[in-house]
Amino acid sequence: MTLSTVFPGVPAMVLLETALDDPISQRCNMIEKILSEFSPKELHGVLPLLIESLFNFNRHPRGWSIHKLDDSGSCYRDFKCILNLLNPAKGPLLQVIYKLTSDSTCKYEFPTCCLPLPTRCLIEEGNIPPFYMDKVQFSLAGNPTKFLLLNAFEYYMFHFVYFVVNQEISNAASRNRIQSSNALYPNIVEDYLNFFFPLDSSSPPSVQPASGSPHSPFHPATLHNRTRPFQSPSPACSVFGRASPARFPGLIKVDAQVLMPQTIAMPNEHGWIEKETWMSEALLQIFVEFWLNQSTVSSPNQHYHMSTAFSFSAEHVQLVRLLVKHLHMFVSTLRMPVHSPHRPMHLPCWDEFRGLVWPHYVQKKLYRFLRYNFESWPLDTSFYVVLETWLSFIQPWRYCVKQRPCSPAKNDSNANSLDNRDKEIDDRWKQFVSDHLPFYSVLFHSFLNRAFRLDLSSYKNAFMLLRVSKILNLPKLRDMLLDAERTMHHPFGHPVPHQPGEHLMSSSYRSIADHTPTIALQFSDLEGPHFQYQPLFSISMQNKIRELLKIVGEALEINRMQMAVSENTPQSLFDWMRSFVAQNFSIRGHCGDPSDETLNCGTDYKKVSSYLEQGIANLSSFFQIEVQPTALQPPHSYPKKSPYTYDLPDVETSETGAALTPHGRYQIINGLRKFDVSYQCDPELQPIRSFECAFLVRLLYSIAHFLNTRFASEMSQFYQRRDFIGRVAQHLLCPSRIESRPIRLDHLAPSARHLVQSHRKPGLRLRWLASYKVLGLLLAFLLLLRFWYDLSIVASFTILIFIYLMFLMAKALICRSPDLTYA
């Protein structure tokens, strides 16, 4: 039964507002009927309300909460309904959007305040990026308005991609589930990537923008036309293929830093390139604009700085990694090897688009995105997602479609595995390494700066070090990077003969002006004209690696000491059961993927030692540094120290006494060394904890204090007895301060010595009875005796006291008596 029969004469807007109040499954069914039965002209006014509610734009009161849905049992039905509704091939919403896109009268407004900050600044200054030239509107005074004018496809994709960076819904607790691979949003992203960037000969539907429309996204008459492929770079064109800035009269001007390739588009036997690939090209630029352009500004001298705080989330970075991996597979389907931007002139439109993905659209902003996160990401293990995004980009050989026909998102765990399937890199990737040298060299410098500040004895940090070192040490990669740096420093761009043992440069740093014009333009575009490049194979870099190896060796030493202590410590029943289940049933998250938030490998010291040893071996092999054999001393030959032996941090003598050195501060921050600091106060006077009853803590302390004061001499006499009664009293009347290790009183000040001696006096301690856990156990035991054995309250308490006394006597017979020393 159609809607016109059930609701005759009711407009589509009213039906949609009513459907938005229904549950998601019913809402999707109703929307599918609305989209299929009403004409595109009637749906033109409905589309903004539907899209804004779908992506919770401007805190729409009837949002869909797609960031909370996954394919679990309770949400599976809603998950499938929305996935089918937004399907790019057969989804009813996208089918309507394709129809509305071909209509030149269907335009929609998108607020410029939602654009990334660098783009907003450019538009306000009049430096209109080419992608926005046909979208920015101007007032009568010649100033840009507060809204962009978009076609239906762009309007939908702007909202879809903006959803990830929308600060209004960026609460970490509500968006945690985007990070999961079975969440709804990553699955939609994967569907769109597979559809608009196909990995086979298929292509998206050829939706033609309205001919002659002034706002067609990639119409040949607009400014945003692609350059015709060329054979050699000109002085006015950078290595990324940007032409010299176009000149426009009036208030509109174009910044050379944001220009995309532009000349008059040339038709060929396939028709206009823009007519066939404009949807994929538009979607790629939208992805790059919203996901990668949040941390940079227009001027190279000012990038990595932001006037407003924007925090990248882990799920945001994982989506960027998904995009990078898919683009690698998309580009790998090119019918000819991918080299530099200088390619033969005549290529099919899709092959030419594949060849332009990295140099023209992604490279610059991805580099700045990674560079910013390398420098600003917190020094914790969540940096693993940023690291894996970087490693995914610099390993394109892992994502060749012929070797990896599977989907990138659903095999993410395989990508994280340590065994590199490609043991040897093919020579055809040499040009890719050369064209993206800053990703290998400059970002590795940034990683080293982080590594110096990390606790490398931690499981996840050791794993990250191993990941980087193992990838750098891949066969042939070192030779490719060495050849790239040789070519870069030669004035004519040819390799310089390199003798064994000879360093690439006599100086540690070399100015950009000393490089060849192509490399100079590349680094100037990414880092600014005054950037000082430090080669990977320089003397200063080797010295830096030696310092890192010393820190890794120290972390290895600390880890071995902790492993020796753990081997001498008896394992609890819970720890034994957890390790047994994890080892025999392969529980995911136990010592596996370090990106898993549930990982708990604090006692797996053997793996940490293995990771650190492999990291030392890989780094020394890549940089050709000889390592002392003692640095790789096996764990079984390490001297086992006492668990109560503590090494003091490095200090130096100053006028005010001992002061920490910079290396000593590093040791304390990362937990490698510490001072012998002990708790000197009465534990009974500690602040009341959240798991304690405040009233009972105060009451029990008053009772214990009265009894300890009233019967102090009697308690001391019982405590000093050497017979069985004395041993029972020694376990009952505990000192208020129990040292985990002996303290020499002659090393303490007089006031501290008196305080320690007063706290060593025996007495009755009752605070443990104020714990909610103890109270709960006592209540459960009393209820059991009352209802199971039908005992009175007095009899139940008598049994409890009797059991406690029996426990004390058994403990006196089995356990060693505490230290009776008072002074």
Side-chain angles (χ1 to χ4, degrees), residues 13 178 218 283 289 345 370 452 483 502 570 582 626 634 726 779:
M13 181 66 73
I178 289 183
F218 296 95
L283 180 58
E289 179 70 12
M345 295 181 58
L370 292 174
F452 280 111
D483 291 341
E502 177 188 356
E626 295 183 0
L779 180 61

Side-chain angles (χ1 to χ4, degrees), residues 107 152 400 421 505 526 544 604 614 624 649 687-688 726 802:
K107 299 296 175 181
C400 292
R421 286 170 293 277
M505 301 181 64
L526 293 176
K544 199 172 183 180
D604 202 349
Q614 293 180 52
Q624 296 183 353
I688 299 175
F802 176 77

Side-chain angles (χ1 to χ4, degrees), residues 64-84:
W64 294 50
S65 300
I66 62 175
H67 53 285
K68 299 180 181 179
L69 297 178
D70 53 25
D71 58 357
S72 60
S74 58
C75 306
Y76 182 75
R77 185 177 181 184
D78 297 340
F79 175 90
K80 294 299 294 184
C81 289
I82 298 180
L83 202 62
N84 294 332

Side-chain angles (χ1 to χ4, degrees), residues 33 41 97 118 134 169 217 259 361 462 475 478 548 588 712 799:
K33 294 180 180 180
K41 183 177 180 180
I97 288 176
D134 55 351
I169 56 174
L259 276 176
Y361 300 110
R478 184 183 188 277
L548 178 63
R588 182 182 183 272
I799 294 177

